[in-house]
Amino acid sequence: MNIYETSSIGKLISGNPYVGRGIVTGTSANGKYAVNAYFIMGRSANSRNRIFAIHDGSVFTEPFDASKVVDPSLIIYAAVRTYENNLIVTNGDQTDTIYNGLKEGISFKESLETREFEPDGPNYTPRISSISTFVGKNYKYELSILKSIDEEGSDCARYTFSYNSKPGLGHFIHTYVTDGNPIPTFQGEPERVSIPDDIKEFTEDLWENLDEANKISLYVRYTDLESGEITEELINKNK
């Protein structure tokens, strides 16, 4: 086994019924773009009743049909926010924890020390987060997962992975291994992903290989590292 092998995002998720929520962060093959992606999947009617919406440069989850919302606490949140030269992407309201921490001079990792996995036993859904920090034409990124240390949810294990950007290389972290009851939590390091230069190619590869029954929404952002220009793709299954 080659531990440095990279795979397309489509190859990594194809045929898997439920990887849950996922974040990809990395750099296009030509080294020109910082790449960030976030998607959500859902099994329950409450989880599936969502869309992504962009407001003032931030991405939010919103109910597709507000009349059918049962419990908004874990499904409605800001998923993508920017603070100064930092881009934050998460699967929950820890986005705001990180954002407010940066304003107070608190690091990404330190802010997440105050949070833990979601209180949705027996699954105890992990909280996954990323931050991309831009300095001139260069950037680095960190990925984090907060997950239960045991089946009872008695304590939280916190892992942070830090990377310098490398052309063509991305890292993929997601909440679950696959479907199950309870759903098995993501294991190990973030998976290595090859990142193409074209945002539409990457978006289509990701969206088309997510399980048709369970996929809900996808957001992809390519940031030009020289000009700062942002290109976005957003897909909602609910239209």
Side-chain angles (χ1 to χ4, degrees), residues 2-8 11-12 168-170 192-195:
N2 181 359
I3 62 172
Y4 299 112
E5 181 180 357
T6 60
S7 300
S8 70
K11 183 178 179 181
L12 286 175
L169 176 64
R192 293 168 64 90
V193 179
S194 54
I195 306 288

Side-chain angles (χ1 to χ4, degrees), residues 57-72:
S58 298
V59 179
F60 294 84
T61 61
E62 295 184 350
F64 176 62
D65 184 343
S67 68
K68 295 181 179 179
V69 175
V70 177
D71 178 8

Side-chain angles (χ1 to χ4, degrees), residues 26-238:
T27 311
S28 62
N30 59 10
K32 184 176 180 180
Y33 303 105
V35 176
N36 293 268
Y38 177 59
F39 66 81
I40 58 174
M41 305 179 77
R43 302 189 305 172
S44 69
N46 192 46
S47 290
R48 290 178 175 177
N49 180 35
R50 288 186 287 174
I51 59 172
F52 282 170
I54 300 174
H55 301 293
D56 298 324
S58 298
V59 179
F60 294 84
T61 61
E62 295 184 350
F64 176 62
D65 184 343
S67 68
K68 295 181 179 179
V69 175
V70 177
D71 178 8
S73 62
L74 295 178
I75 66 168
I76 306 300
Y77 52 88
V80 181
R81 295 188 70 180
T82 300
Y83 179 73
E84 294 183 343
N85 62 327
N86 300 285
L87 178 64
I88 307 160
V89 184
T90 91
N91 73 328
D93 63 10
Q94 72 269 25
T95 303
D96 295 334
T97 302
I98 298 164
Y99 179 89
N100 292 328
L102 292 174
K103 290 175 67 175
E104 299 296 324
I106 301 171
S107 71
F108 173 75
K109 183 177 180 180
E110 289 172 325
S111 290
L112 288 171
E113 289 287 341
T114 68
R115 304 301 305 269
E116 61 177 27
F117 51 86
E118 295 180 2
D120 61 342
N123 296 318
Y124 300 114
T125 300
R127 292 189 185 272
I128 56 173
S129 309
S130 76
I131 187 167
S132 299
T133 302
F134 300 88
V135 181
K137 297 179 183 179
N138 299 312
Y139 88 103
K140 59 183 180 180
Y141 56 94
E142 295 175 82
L143 293 169
S144 165
I145 184 167
L146 313 178
K147 62 182 186 177
S148 178
I149 204 166
D150 54 30
E151 295 178 354
E152 291 74 37
S154 68
D155 209 339
C156 182
R158 298 176 174 86
Y159 303 89
T160 302
F161 305 89
S162 179
Y163 304 96
N164 292 317
S165 62
K166 298 293 181 184
L169 176 64
H171 291 89
F172 174 39
I173 195 166
H174 41 102
T175 51
Y176 304 122
V177 175
T178 188
D179 205 354
N181 188 23
I183 317 173
T185 295
F186 178 87
Q187 301 292 317
E189 294 183 21
E191 297 167 293
R192 293 168 64 90
V193 179
S194 54
I195 306 288
D197 297 332
D198 184 69
I199 187 173
K200 291 188 179 297
E201 178 186 344
F202 181 69
T203 302
E204 289 174 5
D205 190 36
L206 207 171
W207 183 250
E208 294 304 318
N209 283 288
L210 285 170
D211 183 76
E212 181 63 31
N214 293 319
K215 65 184 179 183
I216 301 172
S217 296
L218 167 65
Y219 173 78
V220 180
R221 176 186 293 200
Y222 272 46
T223 304
D224 189 308
L225 289 169
E226 184 169 351
S227 69
E229 180 180 0
I230 294 169
T231 306
E232 301 169 300
E233 293 282 336
L234 188 151
I235 303 176
N236 287 312
K237 188 174 181 181
N238 294 314

